Amino acid sequence: MTTDAKELAQLTREHGRKLASGDVLPAIGFGTYALPDGTDAVKAVAQAVLCGYRSFDCAAFYGNESLVGRGLRLGASKAELKREDFFVTSKVWPTQLGYQKTMDAFFKSLNDLDVDYMDLYLIHWPANARSHENWNELNLSTWKAMVQLYEEGYVRSIGVSNFKEHHLRSLLDTRVPPMVNQLEVHPGFSQQSLRQFCRMMGIVVEGWSPFGRARILQHELLQQLAQKYQRAPTQICLRFALQLGVVPLPKATNMNHMRDNLQIFDFELESSDMELLLSLDRDQIGFSGEDSDLLTFS
């Protein structure tokens, strides 16, 4: 492993966010959704390790956790790293909500990733009123399993993903409230009010789709800022997230792109440029259209 990779790995930890559990969530994670199939996925994850990534965002729904686990072991072997050097996240899918289904889903992910504990486990999407009359009770019974897994040491931190304020309210009243909320966050869809609510509640926000599914990258403002700072538009997006206090989760399969996505600690966006980027929210540029109150899962 190169010195550069070691330094970048250290920077992601130094700039990481401390969770209510006391653990530190590295400042940038590696997204594993829609990785290539088979050995290409294993190679991509191992390359990410060698580039300096230490946080890996996984989910049962992605269907590749066994491949990601193999990639982590391969990368760890080449870089001479141990399990505790990594921060591994997984998520329970909405069709598996409820106490027992969540317990079963967790141990399947643990087995597929071939790790003896999880660093972070999330509810991937909340149960909502469109799909369930008892949506709040279903979320609470799921959370009961999450809290038990946390208190028994199987997972070091617990949280949610795509939860709005009304989904969070009852979970905040439990003895172990959510520590993380993973949300779609990028220029054009920054979710300011929900992020502010999470901050007030002591919940760290992770940001999925930090490039707005690549739609935001060609926007005139992103191009102008990329030229101004002599950076790639992707780096502007990631720096934007970082300065919002959000942990971005970029995905890349090209090693140069992997490296570029970590090279965001040596510059800063001016406050006026941050305001310009936030103003893109008016048009919801790059928004996926996925609304946690409207989605149904079968």
Side-chain angles (χ1 to χ4, degrees), residues 25-85:
L25 175 63
I28 303 176
F30 185 81
T32 63
Y33 175 65
L35 283 176
D37 294 332
T39 56
D40 287 340
V42 176
K43 290 176 183 175
V45 172
Q47 283 181 338
V49 172
L50 296 175
C51 285
Y53 290 90
R54 295 294 176 266
S55 176
F56 290 81
D57 182 67
C58 312
F61 176 71
Y62 302 163
N64 59 9
E65 289 190 315
S66 61
L67 298 172
V68 172
R70 285 170 54 194
L72 288 174
R73 290 190 296 280
L74 177 60
S77 175
K78 290 185 175 181
E80 298 181 353
L81 297 170
K82 299 176 182 177
R83 166 67 185 93
E84 54 266 31
D85 294 318

Side-chain angles (χ1 to χ4, degrees), residues 125 162 184 189 208 213 287-295:
W125 291 90
N162 303 301
E184 179 177 358
F189 196 72
W208 60 264
R213 302 198 174 188
F287 173 44
S288 68
E290 295 181 350
D291 186 324
S292 55
D293 279 326
L294 302 178
L295 290 175

Side-chain angles (χ1 to χ4, degrees), residues 205-279:
V205 173
E206 289 187 302
W208 60 264
S209 193
F211 309 138
R213 302 198 174 188
R215 297 174 202 156
I216 191 72
L217 300 179
Q218 298 305 316
H219 190 277
E220 182 181 4
L221 177 59
L222 266 292
Q223 293 291 317
Q224 289 172 353
L225 294 178
Q227 187 171 6
K228 174 179 177 178
Y229 290 95
Q230 290 297 289
R231 298 284 174 156
T234 49
Q235 292 173 312
I236 300 297
C237 289
L238 294 173
R239 185 69 209 183
F240 170 76
L242 212 62
Q243 288 180 220
L244 291 179
V246 171
V247 174
L249 302 169
K251 186 198 78 175
T253 53
N254 177 288
M255 204 157 185
N256 290 330
H257 293 162
M258 290 181 191
R259 289 195 186 102
D260 285 347
N261 290 344
L262 289 174
Q263 303 272 4
I264 62 168
F265 299 106
D266 58 349
F267 79 106
E268 188 170 337
L269 298 172
E270 296 173 7
S271 58
S272 58
D273 292 330
M274 287 292 291
E275 289 301 319
L276 287 171
L277 289 166
L278 286 168
S279 74

